[in-house]
Amino acid sequence: MREFASAYTPTPVERRWYSAWLDAELFRARPFSGRPPYSILMPPPNVTGMLHFGHVLNITLQDIYIRWHRMLGYEVCWFPGIDHAGIATQVKVEQQLAAEGLSRQALGRDAFLQRVWQWKERYGGIILEQMRALGISCDWSRTLFTMDESASNAVREVFIRLYDEGLIYRGKRIINWSPALQSALSDEEVVYRPVTERLYVLRYELEDGSGFLPVATVRPETIFADVAVAVHPEDERYRHLLGRRVRVPLTERWVPVIADTAVDPEFGTGVLKVTPAHDAQDFEIGQRHGLPILVCLTPEGRLNELAEEFAGLERFHARRVVVERLRELGLLESEQEYTHNVGFSERSGEPVEPYISDQWFVRMKPLAEPALEAVLDGRIRFHPEHWVKTYEHWMRNVRDWCISRQLWWGHRIPVYYAPDGRYTAARSEAEARQRLGLPEDVPLEQDPDVLDTWFSSWLWPLTTMRWLADGVTEDTPELRFFLPTNLLVTAPEIIFFWVARMIMATLKFRGTIPFRDVYFTSVIRDERGRKLSKSLGNSPDPLPIIERYGADAVRFTMIYLSPLGQDVRLRIEERTQDIPSMEIGRNFANKLWNAGRLLWLKSRQHGCAEQPPAETELELPERWIRSRFAATVEATTDALRSYRVTDYAKLLYDFVWSDFCDWYLESFKLSLARADVQRQQQLCCFALQLYDGILRLLHPVMPFITEELWHLLWERSETEFLTTAAAAEAPPSWRMPQAEEQFALVQALVEEIRRLRSLVGLPPQQRAQVWLRCPEPALYPLLEEYRWLIDALGGCESQLVRDHQQPVRALSGVVRGIEVLLHVAQELDLSAELQRLEQEIARLERLLQGTRAKLSNENFLRNAPAEVVERERQKEHNFQQSLDALRQRLSALRRLTDREPDHA
């Protein structure tokens, strides 16, 4: 039997057990094993990604449910994987090439892709290795990369099927365009932030020479692509001008004045310039009114030949030059500051350009309708439920999905173009010729673009289970056994980009839902409410934190602090990048370890029987803790089933720390001291059996320390693991409300005695004299039987009294009708103690006054760093708490003297 260390050292324990679990293949799933299925899909992190605390929370939640169901006897499978992250990965490799003085264009497509694969083999997937530090129990043998051949076959087949059904089409649309990356971006790759620019009012000359129409815009450089000006149909100021024409400034083009309800009459002048090629709303207006589309910007973000003398100017430089020319010509009526949200490329950082382009799209409405119904009819449940409204709003207003990207890294679009302009989707060039009716000698060209990364991600429930892995086979053992999966844990910001699309794809191609429950994780923020970000210096690397506190401590703390549907606030030391909140989990792990070591020492000292005491021989502490354990099993099970995971953690924390350690183990030690050898061994058996149940309850959230303790306390074989042991159980007969009520009375009496002791400042080693006056005869037997426990835990010698006799100098309290009288010894100089308390109260009042003066100073609140202000508020709270306690003690001591109160 290994020695039980006096202190828990997490790192070596974690490494040893994770290796042991992997060697024993405990995480490998075996479909049709005879056990019921339970499965989770890991949201695939980007191949370029590094672990952050959003991942820590997400994968800990998933691992809790995987481990819990494994212990419940399910055949569990957690499907891991990694996303090829088209834009992010291409940017990484291009940066690497630039450092070598190379470019992808110089290399050519094939050589560039070879470099990307080399980069992926060397650096890709680091995040999965980092995740192992948290002890997650995925079936690593099923790890899927979205560019693997099996996934690529499915992606190609889905594109062709949707194309053949008319659900994929090529068309012109406004897309998010990155001039720097020369590619379309998904909405998810655009970050919006407020920008203060200038709002210009331009003069558009009326054709009849009667004046000008004032048009407000922040983008005067795009006037060269204006095809109309629009007003609201009910705007009385301009109704008489409808159907007239105006001249676009700096051009000789005349455009119509039209009416459209999309125009906001309250914004600017109430007149909108309509530029369908460079604004999403303008594009919709143009479609409704049959307007032409003019493009005045190049893909590089420069004005083109349509701008004539301004051609070649970069878009933002062009804005300044165009405004200056408008001013010179008297066509700039006014300008003012204007703050609005502008989209920026998440990868390259420059403002995104709304741009008309030939792209590939998926028709979403036919796919969205059944996907919406699956959530509204309850087949798929969201947690928290309020996300259903958000989902419904998006699905009812869904727009077609632009799936083409002007990149080289990704799934290349399986479309082939003939010299005559015709094209088709096909599995190969040969099939394309057959579809187009062309002979073998006619050259075809494959579309150079690749598919949006999300196009492979929306098939994740299918490709992870080998659907169409060979391009043909649609039925696999995994799909038959594990689909629908049970739970998806994900961030709410990708509810549309990923969650909704997975529901659509799985319903479309398998006729079933992809998952039954969706848990939307909390947003992690610092104490100032800012989202964690490397650029803000408030996003520490989790690996040093795990090394410092232990994986179990980090897992437990993150769950403890993350209630369903609420943001998580973490205090982060920016200088050291430490997270002091992790002490919650570390202290709890140490408490659990110390409790286990105490039981180990006692069982070695006294021996351990094979059976606990008989039911009739259990005393109140045993009946109480067993009932509390049964209640905790029931409550934690209910919390996990309803996805109240923070409640699960807090229930366990309170039970283990307070009920088990602070009360039961103290009673256990006292019981051992007054028991014979046989009962000592039976009590050790009882305590160890209960502790075994605690380890089983905690294992899903704290797998390493519980596995270690389970092996230290019992001589387990090398093939036995808590990871695959049965979950904690408690038969209904263990619930004993009467025992809980009786022990609660003992606890309340002990706590009252301790309170009275503190009021007179009795040192811990000095036993107090206590009288317990009980008006209810029915309670006498309980109080008499367990007076030894009250005395030992309360540090006193008590006696039951039935009359009104009491000591002359006594403090009193009442607990559920029982009067508690604590005798104050003559040796205590009440006068000196009163004087000391008054002086201490005066000192704290001065400190509190100074702190409050600071906090009422507007200059201090405005100029001091947030952490300094927070420290002052904490000081105010601490001073007030201390004052309240001292004043309570002062009041109690005064009641023992005839001295008149002279302190408020």
Side-chain angles (χ1 to χ4, degrees):
M1 192 173 185
R2 286 190 290 121
E3 195 64 25
F4 204 126
S6 58
Y8 178 53
T9 308
T11 303
V13 170
E14 292 165 4
R15 289 173 181 162
R16 175 160 38 84
W17 280 119
Y18 202 73
S19 294
W21 294 333
L22 292 178
D23 290 345
E25 297 188 341
L26 302 186
F27 308 152
R28 187 182 286 271
R30 294 167 178 82
F32 301 103
S33 61
R35 291 186 287 268
Y38 184 88
S39 58
I40 291 178
L41 301 167
M42 175 190 286
N46 284 352
V47 68
T48 58
M50 293 292 171
L51 193 69
H52 57 66
F53 273 95
H55 295 127
V56 171
L57 175 59
N58 187 297
I59 61 177
T60 298
L61 284 162
Q62 293 174 71
D63 199 38
I64 285 172
Y65 280 93
I66 285 291
R67 288 182 178 274
W68 181 45
H69 282 87
R70 187 181 288 120
M71 298 179 80
L72 287 173
Y74 286 79
E75 185 63 52
V76 303
C77 188
W78 186 3
F79 292 89
I82 196 160
D83 192 280
H84 66 277
I87 289 179
T89 306
Q90 180 157 317
V91 167
K92 286 275 186 187
V93 177
E94 290 202 63
Q95 289 170 347
Q96 193 180 66
L97 289 174
E100 300 171 20
L102 296 171
S103 69
R104 67 181 168 106
Q105 290 82 4
L107 279 182
R109 187 168 193 139
D110 291 343
F112 175 75
L113 290 177
Q114 189 176 353
R115 284 292 298 262
V116 180
W117 279 105
Q118 289 171 0
W119 183 93
K120 184 263 177 185
E121 293 306 316
R122 184 170 181 184
Y123 300 107
I126 289 175
I127 189 169
L128 293 184
E129 291 301 316
Q130 293 175 324
M131 285 179 175
R132 295 181 185 224
L134 280 162
I136 63 173
S137 56
C138 307
D139 184 346
W140 294 110
S141 69
R142 298 177 183 274
T143 303
L144 179 71
F145 180 49
T146 53
M147 286 287 286
D148 284 347
E149 184 180 1
S150 63
S152 298
N153 288 338
V155 167
R156 182 175 58 250
E157 187 65 25
V158 163
F159 184 99
I160 293 167
R161 291 185 187 183
L162 292 177
Y163 175 87
D164 289 346
E165 287 186 49
L167 291 175
I168 282 182
Y169 66 94
R170 185 169 174 81
K172 288 186 181 294
R173 289 287 187 278
I174 288 285
I175 45 105
N176 302 308
W177 180 259
S178 167
L181 296 173
Q182 286 291 287
S183 177
L185 304 176
S186 70
D187 291 343
E188 192 263 345
E189 292 160 333
V190 178
V191 178
Y192 287 89
R193 53 178 180 262
V195 173
T196 299
E197 298 184 302
R198 308 292 290 176
L199 180 67
Y200 303 97
V201 177
L202 312 184
R203 291 176 171 172
Y204 284 58
E205 179 189 355
L206 288 161
E207 191 174 24
D208 62 5
S210 61
F212 297 90
L213 196 57
V215 178
T217 181
V218 293
R219 301 204 63 193
E221 72 277 11
T222 63
I223 57 175
F224 307 102
D226 289 359
V227 295
V229 294
V231 299
H232 194 278
E234 296 177 6
D235 193 333
E236 295 293 341
R237 293 173 296 174
Y238 306 114
R239 185 178 290 179
H240 67 287
L241 297 175
L242 292 176
R244 307 267 289 276
R245 294 204 308 167
V246 295
R247 184 164 65 178
V248 178
L250 306 184
T251 78
E252 294 302 322
R253 287 189 302 106
W254 298 87
V255 298
V257 180
I258 63 174
D260 197 283
T261 54
V263 180
D264 180 2
E266 301 298 322
F267 174 76
T269 61
V271 185
L272 177 79
K273 73 186 202 67
V274 181
T275 319
H278 301 293
D279 183 273
Q281 179 181 265
D282 291 6
F283 179 81
E284 298 296 334
I285 292 173
Q287 293 292 292
R288 285 195 290 272
H289 294 268
L291 298 173
I293 296 176
L294 300 180
V295 179
C296 68
L297 287 171
T298 69
E300 294 75 25
R302 295 180 176 276
L303 288 179
N304 64 17
E305 67 282 354
L306 206 62
E308 297 182 347
E309 64 178 291
F310 305 100
L313 294 180
E314 187 275 331
R315 54 185 170 153
F316 296 112
H317 177 57
R319 181 178 301 175
R320 294 190 293 272
V321 174
V322 166
V323 166
E324 196 53 44
R325 180 60 57 85
L326 290 166
R327 185 179 284 113
E328 290 172 4
L329 297 174
L331 297 175
L332 178 63
E333 186 166 299
S334 65
E335 60 181 291
Q336 64 185 66
E337 281 195 350
Y338 173 61
T339 300
H340 63 138
N341 282 331
V342 173
F344 290 80
S345 168
E346 185 182 45
R347 301 299 174 191
S348 52
E350 92 278 20
V352 167
E353 186 63 42
Y355 199 68
I356 190 77
S357 175
D358 282 318
Q359 301 287 341
W360 287 97
F361 295 87
V362 176
R363 297 189 199 278
M364 298 297 276
K365 198 163 185 61
L367 300 173
E369 289 169 358
L372 174 58
E373 185 182 350
V375 172
L376 295 183
D377 66 17
R379 280 176 288 157
I380 298 174
R381 298 172 291 269
F382 285 177
H383 310 273
E385 192 178 2
H386 66 74
W387 286 109
V388 171
K389 288 292 183 189
T390 307
Y391 177 84
E392 181 181 6
H393 175 75
W394 188 79
M395 296 295 267
R396 292 196 188 282
N397 297 278
V398 69
R399 299 171 64 179
D400 287 354
W401 172 20
C402 175
I403 56 172
S404 44
R405 297 290 179 269
Q406 289 64 51
L407 303 171
W408 287 356
W409 173 244
H411 297 99
R412 193 165 176 181
I413 292 175
V415 169
Y416 296 85
Y417 297 87
D420 61 7
R422 292 183 301 138
Y423 56 83
T424 188
R427 294 160 189 84
S428 65
E429 192 171 328
E431 185 184 60
R433 281 196 185 87
Q434 183 182 357
R435 284 180 163 224
L436 292 169
L438 295 172
E440 290 186 12
D441 59 346
V442 175
L444 296 182
E445 185 177 338
Q446 187 175 353
D447 196 303
D449 292 350
V450 300
L451 290 163
D452 179 11
T453 298
W454 294 106
F455 196 87
S456 52
S457 299
W458 79 324
L459 302 178
W460 195 243
L462 305 175
T463 52
T464 49
M465 301 189 198
R466 308 289 297 170
W467 180 73
L468 289 176
D470 58 1
V472 178
T473 307
E474 299 199 40
D475 199 25
T476 68
E478 290 83 358
L479 284 166
R480 292 198 305 274
F481 190 67
F482 286 118
L483 192 73
T485 62
N486 297 82
L487 175 65
L488 178 74
V489 179
T490 189
E493 56 262 31
I494 57 174
I495 186 173
F496 317 126
F497 303 112
W498 193 45
V499 178
R501 289 171 181 165
M502 282 193 290
I503 298 171
M504 294 178 198
T506 312
L507 283 168
K508 171 68 177 173
F509 297 108
R510 287 293 294 182
T512 188
I513 56 174
F515 28 71
R516 293 187 174 90
D517 289 282
V518 182
Y519 184 110
F520 292 108
T521 55
S522 308
V523 176
I524 304 175
R525 303 182 183 275
D526 64 14
E527 59 186 341
R528 291 159 64 180
R530 303 175 303 172
K531 288 183 71 172
L532 300 196
S533 164
K534 291 289 184 188
S535 63
L536 293 175
N538 68 346
S539 182
D541 180 352
L543 293 179
I545 303 290
I546 292 169
E547 188 76 20
R548 186 176 305 144
Y549 293 95
D552 288 327
V554 172
R555 288 168 60 114
F556 186 85
T557 302
M558 292 304 297
I559 297 302
Y560 188 89
L561 295 175
S562 306
L564 179 65
Q566 297 181 35
D567 289 355
V568 183
R569 293 291 182 104
L570 292 178
R571 185 166 72 86
I572 296 161
E573 299 286 354
E574 293 190 14
R575 184 178 60 82
T576 62
Q577 290 292 280
D578 191 15
I579 304 180
S581 309
M582 295 302 160
E583 291 287 352
I584 295 170
R586 179 160 66 182
N587 291 343
F588 186 56
N590 289 338
K591 189 82 167 178
L592 184 68
W593 182 267
N594 292 337
R597 191 165 191 275
L598 171 70
L599 294 177
W600 181 77
L601 290 170
K602 293 299 182 185
S603 61
R604 290 188 63 173
Q605 177 185 351
H606 301 293
C608 185
E610 291 186 3
Q611 295 294 328
E615 190 70 27
T616 55
E617 296 175 1
L618 292 176
E619 291 192 308
L620 180 60
E622 287 77 54
R623 296 196 307 275
W624 168 75
I625 193 63
R626 197 176 65 173
S627 183
R628 290 293 308 123
F629 173 76
T632 302
V633 170
E634 182 181 337
T636 53
T637 300
D638 180 68
L640 287 176
R641 282 178 177 158
S642 55
Y643 297 101
R644 293 179 290 106
V645 187
T646 294
D647 289 354
Y648 156 77
K650 290 186 173 180
L651 285 162
L652 287 175
Y653 185 92
D654 292 343
F655 173 73
V656 173
W657 194 292
S658 179
D659 291 349
F660 187 76
C661 293
D662 290 354
W663 288 99
Y664 172 68
L665 286 185
E666 293 306 309
S667 302
F668 167 70
K669 289 187 285 186
L670 296 169
S671 297
L672 286 178
R674 60 198 297 271
D676 59 28
V677 173
Q678 181 184 3
R679 184 162 180 81
Q680 286 173 336
Q681 294 175 351
Q682 290 174 336
L683 288 173
C684 285
C685 176
F686 176 89
L688 282 169
Q689 285 184 354
L690 193 73
Y691 192 72
D692 173 87
I694 288 172
L695 296 181
R696 292 170 193 259
L697 283 176
L698 277 169
H699 181 75
V701 67
M702 304 180 82
F704 290 115
I705 190 172
T706 52
E707 188 80 75
E708 178 75 354
L709 288 165
W710 201 67
H711 282 261
L712 281 172
L713 284 162
W714 296 272
E715 294 187 16
R716 311 283 185 185
S717 75
E718 292 184 359
T719 59
E720 285 185 282
F721 296 94
L722 181 56
T723 299
T724 50
E729 293 181 339
S733 60
W734 284 12
R735 288 303 306 271
M736 293 184 173
Q738 186 181 21
E740 292 197 39
E741 185 180 337
Q742 291 174 338
F743 197 83
L745 177 59
V746 171
Q747 288 176 298
L749 289 169
V750 169
E751 286 170 344
E752 181 62 15
I753 292 166
R754 289 172 177 173
R755 187 186 73 83
L756 295 175
R757 285 176 61 94
S758 70
L759 288 176
V760 294
L762 281 182
Q765 67 275 13
Q766 184 176 336
R767 297 184 73 77
Q769 298 297 315
V770 171
W771 282 259
L772 300 174
R773 182 181 293 120
C774 178
E776 291 187 47
L779 290 176
Y780 292 165
L782 174 69
L783 295 175
E784 194 61 60
E785 184 178 0
Y786 290 103
R787 197 153 49 85
W788 63 271
L789 186 58
I790 295 168
D791 289 359
L793 295 176
C796 67
E797 293 177 1
S798 67
Q799 56 182 296
L800 285 172
V801 294
R802 306 189 184 195
D803 52 27
H804 295 286
Q805 179 185 355
Q806 69 178 60
V808 175
R809 301 178 100 208
L811 293 180
S812 66
V814 178
V815 174
R816 301 181 194 179
I818 300 171
E819 191 173 9
V820 181
L821 302 158
L822 184 138
H823 174 61
V824 179
Q826 293 291 337
E827 293 78 21
L828 179 63
D829 187 340
L830 292 178
S831 178
E833 180 64 8
L834 284 168
Q835 185 177 3
R836 187 191 72 78
L837 285 172
E838 288 170 341
Q839 290 172 350
E840 180 62 9
I841 286 171
R843 184 184 75 84
L844 286 174
E845 284 177 336
R846 288 193 298 273
L847 292 171
L848 180 61
Q849 186 178 6
T851 299
R852 284 181 172 163
K854 266 189 184 180
L855 290 172
S856 62
N857 184 324
E858 290 297 329
N859 287 332
F860 171 75
L861 294 175
R862 186 167 50 249
N863 299 321
E867 56 270 23
V868 173
V869 175
E870 183 56 35
R871 272 202 301 273
E872 290 300 315
R873 289 197 172 114
Q874 190 60 49
K875 281 164 61 176
E876 178 188 31
H877 174 74
N878 293 342
F879 288 151
Q880 188 62 61
Q881 267 196 333
S882 299
L883 274 170
D884 290 345
L886 289 174
R887 284 169 177 160
Q888 187 179 17
R889 186 175 175 195
L890 180 69
S891 176
L893 291 182
R894 277 179 174 160
R895 289 199 295 270
L896 297 177
T897 69
D898 293 328
R899 180 177 172 184
E900 288 295 320
D902 58 2
H903 199 291

